[in-house]
Amino acid sequence: EVRISTLIKLPGAKPALISFFCYCAIELTTGLWASSFLVVNNGLVAELAAKWVSLYYLGITVGRFLAGFLAMKLNNKQMIRIGQIICLLGAILLIMPLPNNLQLVGLILIGLGCAPIYPAMLHETPNRFGKELSQGIMGIQMATAYVGSTFVPPIFGALSQISGFSILPYFLLILMIVMLVSSERVSKVCKYQA
């Protein structure tokens, strides 16, 4: 049994955990707060905003389906990178003062971008940390992911009470940049091959 403290000290472990934390924070914060953002910021009717958010989730679903096929052509690192870039484009579309339909495209892009990231990061774990340690690392990664999905959406909720919902795309963009940087760092540091 390898101790958690030992696993966390592995090269690349900390940025890997930050990536998982940020990913789940992004997925859940978008899912929970996008409709409020659309109602308050864009003046959408609540019913329509809810439909838009369902399209975000549809983006994740369709994206996961497509990612299954893309996985035959691309490796995990490429899938993670492409997903993160699509997420960033989505957040940028939400930030720009564009018509509502283009903002919807931004929301769907965040969903599509999210799709391959989590599965590919999990699949990449044995390549990053070696087969023997991958199970232990995976456990910590899942725990960190749950911390991100549990605590970040309410933190955003509290922040939005102070600064308004217009900060949502910026909040997501910061998390996406941190995730991208951490993820690239893991790829640089971890030289294991399965």
Side-chain angles (χ1 to χ4, degrees):
E1 189 75 11
V2 188
R3 294 175 60 177
I4 291 176
S5 55
T6 311
L7 292 170
I8 290 173
K9 284 181 189 136
L10 288 172
K14 288 187 190 84
L17 296 178
I18 292 168
S19 302
F20 272 86
F21 175 88
C22 290
Y23 170 78
C24 281
I26 292 161
E27 187 186 311
L28 268 286
T29 304
T30 307
L32 282 170
W33 293 108
S35 57
S36 302
F37 166 77
L38 294 168
V39 170
V40 175
N41 215 49
N42 296 22
L44 256 67
V45 187
E47 221 172 301
L48 186 59
K51 278 184 185 151
W52 279 30
V53 174
S54 66
L55 288 174
Y56 156 73
Y57 281 112
L58 185 68
I60 296 178
T61 309
V62 171
R64 291 250 156 101
F65 180 72
L66 293 173
F69 291 105
L70 286 172
M72 294 185 241
K73 297 251 182 258
L74 304 169
N75 64 34
N76 292 325
K77 285 180 192 172
Q78 292 166 321
M79 300 274 283
I80 295 165
R81 199 172 287 139
I82 290 166
Q84 291 173 336
I85 290 164
I86 294 171
C87 276
L88 285 165
L89 290 173
I92 290 164
L93 278 181
L94 282 182
I95 287 169
M96 294 169 85
L98 298 164
N100 280 345
N101 289 348
L102 286 170
Q103 296 243 308
L104 173 60
V105 171
L107 202 54
I108 294 170
L109 280 178
I110 294 173
L112 279 171
C114 277
I117 300 172
Y118 193 79
M121 287 197 302
L122 283 176
H123 288 167
E124 191 59 12
T125 305
N127 303 340
R128 289 171 165 176
F129 302 103
K131 282 205 166 74
E132 311 75 45
L133 298 173
S134 66
Q135 214 168 359
I137 285 279
M138 243 181 226
I140 308 171
Q141 285 177 164
M142 302 295 268
T144 316
Y146 287 125
V147 170
S149 60
T150 305
F151 293 104
V152 176
I155 289 169
F156 173 78
L159 274 175
S160 69
Q161 296 302 306
I162 302 160
S163 55
F165 284 108
S166 59
I167 63 159
L168 180 66
Y170 300 96
F171 186 84
L172 295 173
L173 190 66
I174 291 164
L175 286 170
M176 287 169 191
I177 291 166
V178 172
M179 174 174 67
L180 181 67
V181 170
S182 305
S183 184
E184 291 299 318
R185 179 100 190 101
V186 184
S187 296
K188 270 200 180 67
V189 172
C190 296
K191 298 293 179 214
Y192 286 101
Q193 288 306 314

